């Protein structure tokens, strides 16, 4: 069954969607969409460093994403607005990464695959990495679920309950870095933030509890991955952007449905 490239692509898309759903909910609740984009852009710099020093790409991407998120956290509150700081860091990391890759004369690299994903080229090893990394992200979020929810809703109440909100932010940052590394092959660094935010935002009008939102976002993300692949196959369009288009369509539908139900 895994010899069929479409089956591997479908399994990879579903694996990323299931991992991105709980992570994406916290990104939406904490208004971290731009933070997720900045972390994703740092992945290009991680790829360049890995190729320069002949290192495995996955650990290098995780380290680069963690370094970006740690730098943003350390510089927060130093006189710059958060959106300004994220804009500077995100685009600087992306530009430096692209320049560094261009300077590697002895390495042939398909930049489009890293920028927009190459899900149709996923092999068995990539599939194992995606699912193991995805399960790691989901497991980490589920392990810290109650503490993350409380520190997200009310940091003061979390401190009173013996929970350190900054420590929970570190766990969330680690999960985000791992999520970026896992999703690169599927949607690429430019569209990772979309797969985090759009399914969670699409689930929001349909649910009343955080747990229901995470589950609904996972379902929407998985259906978007499968629908995007189906559309890419029949209309000969890029698979990664097609998956994001499917998620965007789901967002429009659930927004309309939510508005009708509220009325």
């Amino acid at each position: 069954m895994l010899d069929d490239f479409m089956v591997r692509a479908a399994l990879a898309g579903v694996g990323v969607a299931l991992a991105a759903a709980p992570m994406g909910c916290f990104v939406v609740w904490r208004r971290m969409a731009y933070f997720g984009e900045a972390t994703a852009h740092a992945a290009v710099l991680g790829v360049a460093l890995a190729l320069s020093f002949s290192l495995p790409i996955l650990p290098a991407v995780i380290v680069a994403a963690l370094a970006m998120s740690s730098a943003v956290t350390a510089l927060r509150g130093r006189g710059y607005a958060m959106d300004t700081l994220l804009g500077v860091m995100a685009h600087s990391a992306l530009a430096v990464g692209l320049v560094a890759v261009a300077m590697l004369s002895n390495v042939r690299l398909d930049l489009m695959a890293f920028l927009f994903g190459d899900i149709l080229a996923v092999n068995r090893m990539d599939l194992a990495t995606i699912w193991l990394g995805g399960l790691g992200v989901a497991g980490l979020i589920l392990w810290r679920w109650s503490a993350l929810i409380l520190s997200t809703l009310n940091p003061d109440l979390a401190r009173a309950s013996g929970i350190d909100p900054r420590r929970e932010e570190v766990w969330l940052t680690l999960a985000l870095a791992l999520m970026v590394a896992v999703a690169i092959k599927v949607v690429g660094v430019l569209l990772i933030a979309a797969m985090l935010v759009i399914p969670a935002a699409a689930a929001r009008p349909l649910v009343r509890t955080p747990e229901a939102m995470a589950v609904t976002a996972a379902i929407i993300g998985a259906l978007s991955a499968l629908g995007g692949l189906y559309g890419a196959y029949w209309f000969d369009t890029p698979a990664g952007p097609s998956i994001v288009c499917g998620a965007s369509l789901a967002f429009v539908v659930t927004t309309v449905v939510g508005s009708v139900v509220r009325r």
Side-chain angles (χ1 to χ4, degrees):
M1 183 178 69
L2 294 180
D3 291 333
D4 190 332
F5 75 97
M6 285 299 291
V7 173
R8 294 195 301 270
L11 289 174
V14 170
V16 168
L18 295 179
M23 185 73 242
C25 290
F26 284 103
V27 168
V28 170
W29 294 330
R30 289 173 172 251
R31 299 177 181 178
M32 292 173 59
Y34 211 1
F35 187 88
E37 187 174 353
T39 306
H41 285 182
V44 177
L45 184 56
V47 171
L49 292 175
L51 295 176
S52 299
F53 297 101
S54 300
L55 298 173
I57 289 180
L58 184 64
V61 168
I62 294 175
V63 170
L66 281 175
M68 166 63 76
S69 56
S70 300
V72 170
T73 302
L75 293 173
R76 187 170 53 188
R78 298 291 181 89
Y80 294 100
M82 190 61 173
D83 58 344
T84 301
L85 185 60
L86 286 172
V88 171
M89 299 290 285
H91 296 103
S92 297
L94 180 60
V96 171
L98 292 175
V99 170
V101 169
M103 294 177 65
L104 298 175
S105 57
N106 58 335
V107 177
R108 294 186 63 186
L109 181 67
D110 183 8
L111 270 179
M112 296 297 289
F114 283 101
L115 294 178
F116 297 104
D118 193 14
I119 188 173
L120 297 180
V122 167
N123 55 38
R124 292 173 182 245
M125 184 60 69
D126 293 329
L127 197 57
T129 301
I130 288 170
W131 274 90
L132 287 175
L135 290 175
V137 172
L140 182 58
I141 294 295
L142 290 175
W143 174 48
R144 306 302 304 171
W145 181 263
S146 298
L148 284 170
I149 288 288
L150 187 57
S151 61
T152 298
L153 296 177
N154 194 326
D156 293 331
L157 181 59
R159 292 189 190 93
S161 303
I163 298 171
D164 184 0
R166 292 189 67 84
R167 181 186 62 196
E168 300 309 318
E169 187 174 339
V170 171
W171 286 116
L172 200 61
T173 299
L174 178 61
L176 182 59
L178 185 57
M179 182 68 241
V180 167
V182 167
I184 281 180
K185 192 74 173 179
V186 175
V187 290
V189 298
L190 296 183
L191 298 176
I192 288 174
M195 281 305 292
L196 284 170
V197 173
I198 297 177
R204 198 168 193 172
L206 306 179
V207 299
R208 294 180 178 271
T209 66
E211 293 79 9
M213 182 171 168
V215 172
T216 305
I219 294 172
I220 291 174
L223 292 177
S224 300
L226 297 176
L229 283 172
Y230 182 81
Y233 179 80
W234 283 106
F235 298 107
D236 194 24
T237 55
S242 297
I243 290 172
V244 176
C245 286
S248 301
L249 179 61
F251 173 76
V252 172
V253 171
T254 59
T255 301
V256 172
V257 171
S259 300
V260 172
V261 170
R262 282 194 297 271
R263 290 179 182 177

